[in-house]
Amino acid sequence: MRLAAFLICLALPAWGQSAGEAARDAMAQLQGAQDRLQSAGGARDQIKALTETVQAYEAGLAAVRSGLRQVTAQEAELSADLSARRSELGHLLGALSTISNTPEPVARSNAQHPIDSVRAGMLVADVTEGLQAEAETLRSQLLQVQDLRDVRAAATGNLEDGLTGAQDARAALARAISERSDLPTRFEEDTVQIALLMASSDTLGAFADALANDLPDPDAVLARQGNLPLPVKGIVQSSGRAAEGVYIAAAPQALVTSPVAATLLYRGPLLGDVNVVILEPAPDVLFIFAGLETLYGDVGQIIPAGTPLGLMGGDATKVNGILTENETDGTDEAAQPLYLEVREGQGPVNPDAWFALE
């Protein structure tokens, strides 16, 4: 193998721009969420528009975090290889320098055969060609490293702006929900009766069963049985109790929405100050969500699918401000667990009978 070809084979394989492109696409997604926020205030259905805006921010922030992580990893790998290539090139140049500085008397005393001289000339030509190829590779690597650093800096700035925008969108959504008056109500909240029910109930299921009332025309809900979306984006984990509830490891401050049209039977603290939301989507069917920090809506309202129910707890800046996974894997200390339980009749059933858990 000619030396030039050998040097080229040693060069770093071509680095694609997948990480940089992913980060740029994520930034565009986040910018789209920011644009949504500007127009949501004048939307006819403001709550729906703001809900979609908050969800767009959540998706955009997650995508930017993922893109940042990819860019940082590729930059580190490329920089390490660049450093190694520089070292190799330095050793080669040192060897060539040593040869070129060989004293003339020494060279004369080791006279070469003409064929050896030709071979030496070919070797020098190969080395020169190889060095030029290596220099081009190093120059390309340097440009890629700089490009990745520029992308990382821009993405970090977008991440910080996105955090502010997401908080603004959540605040606007909370205000819009508090001012809402267009939803039908099946019954008014009776605080005395609710207090009596709480006092006499020692489990979530017992309390939910006591509140249950029939829903009119549940056919649309039953038609989606087994395919309902999760109330919050996250990783599903078993609760450790067969055929009962599951936990969804969600991002801090994640928006929780109703997966289907239902009556809001209860919202508030229960069983040790844990915030609970109970929905009745069909007769003798209850969805129980526990672990929210902020709650939306009024008891007795008949809410459409996608209606915001509240926000998870936690500090969003702790995960959005650093390079984390696109989705929490449930082991992240910042992950917020939402408990989901489904009850039919008088007992719990496996949630996968209603929800698409995978």
Side-chain angles (χ1 to χ4, degrees), residues 102-112:
T102 300
E104 188 174 344
V106 175
R108 288 175 181 172
S109 65
N110 292 276
Q112 293 181 330

Side-chain angles (χ1 to χ4, degrees), residues 7 37 44 59 81 86 96 114 153 176 198 206 213 248 253 257 262 271 295 297-298 341:
L7 286 172
L37 183 58
R44 181 175 181 180
D81 189 90
R86 280 174 169 168
L96 291 176
M198 290 177 64
N213 285 289
I248 305 171
Q253 294 295 298
T257 60
L271 302 179
L295 300 175
D298 295 319
E341 183 175 311

Side-chain angles (χ1 to χ4, degrees), residues 192-203 205-207 210 270-271:
V192 175
Q193 183 64 22
I194 293 294
L196 291 174
L197 288 174
M198 290 177 64
S200 62
S201 303
D202 57 2
T203 67
F207 182 68
L270 184 68
L271 302 179

Side-chain angles (χ1 to χ4, degrees), residues 72-90:
T72 302
Q74 184 171 335
E75 179 192 334
E77 187 175 354
L78 189 57
S79 296
D81 189 90
L82 182 59
S83 177
R85 301 306 299 151
R86 280 174 169 168
S87 177
E88 292 175 4
L89 188 58

Side-chain angles (χ1 to χ4, degrees), residues 7-295:
L7 286 172
I8 293 173
C9 288
L10 284 179
L12 181 70
W15 282 84
Q17 295 301 313
S18 57
E21 290 172 357
R24 291 187 183 95
D25 290 345
M27 288 188 286
Q29 187 175 350
L30 193 55
Q31 182 60 52
Q34 293 170 334
D35 294 340
R36 276 178 177 267
L37 183 58
Q38 298 301 317
S39 59
R44 181 175 181 180
D45 189 342
Q46 192 179 40
I47 290 180
K48 180 180 179 181
L50 287 169
T51 299
E52 293 173 350
T53 298
V54 171
Q55 292 172 333
Y57 266 113
E58 291 177 351
L61 288 169
V64 170
R65 290 198 304 272
S66 177
L68 268 171
R69 194 179 70 255
Q70 293 178 45
V71 165
T72 302
Q74 184 171 335
E75 179 192 334
E77 187 175 354
L78 189 57
S79 296
D81 189 90
L82 182 59
S83 177
R85 301 306 299 151
R86 280 174 169 168
S87 177
E88 292 175 4
L89 188 58
H91 290 314
L92 180 58
L93 289 173
L96 291 176
S97 177
T98 300
I99 293 174
S100 65
N101 291 329
T102 300
E104 188 174 344
V106 175
R108 288 175 181 172
S109 65
N110 292 276
Q112 293 181 330
H113 191 277
I115 293 179
D116 292 334
S117 298
V118 171
R119 288 175 176 170
M122 293 175 63
L123 178 62
V124 171
D126 281 346
V127 169
T128 301
E129 183 181 347
L131 287 176
Q132 290 175 342
E134 185 73 359
E136 288 299 320
T137 298
L138 291 175
R139 186 178 298 111
S140 175
Q141 287 178 288
L142 283 170
L143 291 175
Q144 289 183 54
V145 169
Q146 186 57 54
D147 180 63
L148 290 173
R149 286 174 178 171
D150 292 343
V151 171
R152 179 160 55 86
T156 301
N158 274 261
L159 193 62
E160 294 172 353
D161 293 341
L163 281 171
T164 301
Q167 288 300 96
D168 291 343
R170 292 183 183 114
L173 178 60
R175 288 194 299 270
I177 291 176
S178 67
E179 298 168 358
R180 186 172 204 171
S181 60
D182 61 329
L183 290 179
T185 302
R186 286 177 54 200
F187 54 87
E188 296 295 332
E189 181 177 0
D190 185 335
T191 55
V192 175
Q193 183 64 22
I194 293 294
L196 291 174
L197 288 174
M198 290 177 64
S200 62
S201 303
D202 57 2
T203 67
L204 288 174
F207 182 68
D209 292 338
L211 288 173
N213 285 289
D214 289 347
L215 264 181
D217 190 20
D219 293 344
V221 176
L222 296 174
R224 301 182 62 191
Q225 187 173 355
N227 295 303
L228 293 179
L230 294 175
V232 66
K233 185 178 180 181
I235 305 300
V236 177
Q237 300 174 328
S238 171
S239 66
R241 294 173 291 179
E244 291 195 13
V246 296
Y247 285 98
I248 305 171
Q253 294 295 298
L255 181 65
V256 181
T257 60
S258 175
V260 71
T263 296
L264 179 56
L265 292 184
Y266 179 78
R267 57 175 289 275
L270 184 68
L271 302 179
D273 296 328
V274 175
N275 277 335
V276 175
V277 174
I278 300 177
L279 303 180
E280 185 186 33
D284 296 322
V285 177
L286 301 174
F287 294 163
I288 304 172
F289 309 132
L292 297 85
E293 180 177 78
T294 303
L295 300 175

